[in-house]
Amino acid sequence: MKPLRTATRRSTPGAVVPPEGEAGPGVVLGGRPRTNRFPPVWHAWFARQTEPRLAALDELVDEHLERRALRRYLRRLKHATVFAFVGAAAAAHWFSDQIAWLAAHMPALRALWTLVTGA
C-alpha cells in the first residue's frame, strides 16, 4: 500500500511561521499564516468609522440582541400559555366524560348529582 502524499505549501517570503504546535492570530493549525483581503469598498468603510459611529453601532447591535431575546421569551411564553389552556380543556373534557359515565352507572352518584343540581 502506498502512503498518501500531501502537497507542501510554500510560505510567502517574509511571513512569520510560528513553531510547531503553537498558533498565532490568523494561523490555521499546522498551516501557514493566512491574510484576509478586503475589497476597496470595505477599506473605505473602515476608514470612515469614528469612535461615535462605532459607539452608535454597538448600541444598535445591543438593542437588536435585546429585542431578539425578548421576542424569543414572549414566543415561548405564548406557546406555554396555549399548551396550558389546551391541556386544561382536554383534562376537563376527559374528567367530565368520566364523571358522566360514573353517574350513569352508579345510582348513588346519580342521586347525589340530582341533589346538587336540583334537577
Side-chain angles (χ1 to χ4, degrees), residues 67-82:
R67 281 194 307 268
R68 189 170 65 180
L70 185 60
R71 276 195 309 263
R72 188 180 312 129
Y73 172 74
L74 290 176
R75 183 176 63 240
R76 288 178 181 167
L77 181 64
K78 180 186 76 171
H79 289 169
T81 305
V82 168

Side-chain angles (χ1 to χ4, degrees), residues 10-112:
R10 286 189 235 155
S11 62
T12 55
V16 178
V17 179
E20 281 297 319
E22 292 183 23
V27 175
V28 178
L29 290 176
R32 63 187 170 109
R34 296 175 55 168
T35 304
N36 290 331
R37 297 173 199 239
F38 292 102
V41 174
W42 284 103
H43 284 283
W45 187 85
F46 286 125
R48 283 194 311 268
Q49 301 314 306
T50 60
E51 285 293 326
R53 286 180 70 150
L54 291 174
L57 185 62
D58 281 345
E59 287 179 20
L60 286 174
V61 168
D62 289 342
E63 288 174 10
H64 177 74
L65 293 176
E66 289 172 4
R67 281 194 307 268
R68 189 170 65 180
L70 185 60
R71 276 195 309 263
R72 188 180 312 129
Y73 172 74
L74 290 176
R75 183 176 63 240
R76 288 178 181 167
L77 181 64
K78 180 186 76 171
H79 289 169
T81 305
V82 168
F83 178 75
F85 275 112
V86 170
H93 184 72
W94 185 81
F95 280 116
S96 69
D97 285 348
Q98 300 306 311
I99 291 172
W101 185 86
L102 285 174
H105 289 84
M106 299 178 101
L109 272 178
R110 197 175 325 131
L112 179 65

